[in-house]
Amino acid sequence: RPRRCTQQRAPFLFEPFQVERLLTCAAQLRDAPHGHQRGITYRLIFALMYALGLRVGEIVRLCVKDIDLGRQYLLIRQTKFAKDRIVPFGPHVAEALQRYLQERERCNGSLHPDAPVFSVAKGGLQALGSQSISRTFQRLLPHLDLSLPAGVAPARLHCLRHSFAVATLLRWYRSGIDPNTRLIYLSTFLG
């Protein structure tokens, strides 16, 4: 049976300067009566989605215990196909995560290992939902002044993941690296 074609246009790919503008806009988000530390929270969410290629569902399920700053990796639980995977990160992401967690502890007290990493609720015990993250992303888009090339779909949250994948592959090709030798290290599925 032929597969149903769901999209005729290519996904929008963010350039690094556009992501930087997105992160700047996110950092300027103001707190609301039921939304504390919105700026630093959304900035890190969008940064991780772009820098590590994470899905929004993986972001919302991330718990404090899933971050290993010493070995510099995230344990992503119950991702696509109900698998767990390890996603390594470098020193810049480690520093950003450490700063964020320290700020969360400063405002909310000691973080329980099962606490969600990303919360704007007072006390930090309620995880942000994927819809809230997507809505915030959509509200920030007009501030980015993006121009869509012909045949390209409007930018959406998942485009950060696409941009990560394409940028990574292009960097490897330009460096003369065969992607087949690196893909195994990009993330490791467990059990």
Side-chain angles (χ1 to χ4, degrees):
R1 218 167 111 184
R3 293 179 70 178
R4 182 171 62 104
C5 185
T6 57
Q7 186 173 1
Q8 297 294 324
R9 297 180 289 176
F12 183 86
L13 297 176
F14 283 91
E15 295 291 334
F17 76 93
Q18 295 167 324
V19 174
E20 192 58 45
R21 203 174 320 154
L22 171 65
L23 299 183
T24 299
C25 289
Q28 295 169 356
L29 288 169
R30 293 192 176 136
D31 286 356
H34 299 290
H36 304 278
Q37 298 180 308
R38 292 178 71 232
I40 65 168
T41 301
Y42 281 104
R43 184 185 192 290
L44 186 57
I45 287 170
F46 299 143
L48 290 180
M49 291 182 74
Y50 177 73
L52 302 179
L54 298 181
R55 297 174 179 92
V56 69
E58 295 168 345
I59 288 283
V60 299
R61 288 190 304 276
L62 202 58
C63 295
V64 173
K65 67 183 176 190
D66 298 331
I67 300 173
D68 190 326
L69 290 172
R71 293 187 280 185
Q72 295 186 334
Y73 72 78
L74 298 176
L75 175 58
I76 307 296
R77 298 174 193 275
Q78 296 299 299
T79 188
K80 197 170 183 178
F81 307 117
K83 292 190 178 254
D84 295 346
R85 67 185 174 115
I86 292 174
V87 177
F89 54 80
H92 294 295
V93 171
E95 184 181 320
L97 280 166
Q98 187 168 22
R99 274 195 322 266
Y100 175 76
L101 292 173
Q102 287 171 343
E103 182 62 19
R104 286 271 319 273
E105 284 186 334
R106 187 186 70 74
C107 293
N108 299 314
S110 182
L111 296 175
H112 190 276
D114 291 323
V117 172
F118 298 107
S119 175
V120 294
K122 191 166 186 160
L125 298 178
Q126 182 181 354
L128 266 172
S130 57
Q131 291 299 321
S132 294
I133 296 170
S134 184
R135 276 193 305 270
T136 300
F137 175 81
Q138 289 299 322
R139 283 189 202 117
L140 294 176
L141 277 181
H143 301 284
L144 305 183
D145 196 28
L146 302 176
S147 59
L148 290 179
V152 173
R156 58 191 187 101
L157 188 57
H158 196 72
C159 292
L160 292 171
R161 179 175 166 81
H162 288 290
S163 300
F164 158 79
V166 171
T168 300
L169 287 171
L170 285 174
R171 192 169 51 253
W172 289 346
Y173 285 127
R174 290 176 182 148
S175 299
I177 297 169
D178 177 9
N180 289 324
T181 63
R182 288 277 181 96
L183 288 176
I184 189 72
Y185 302 108
L186 196 54
S187 68
T188 306
F189 285 96
L190 305 175

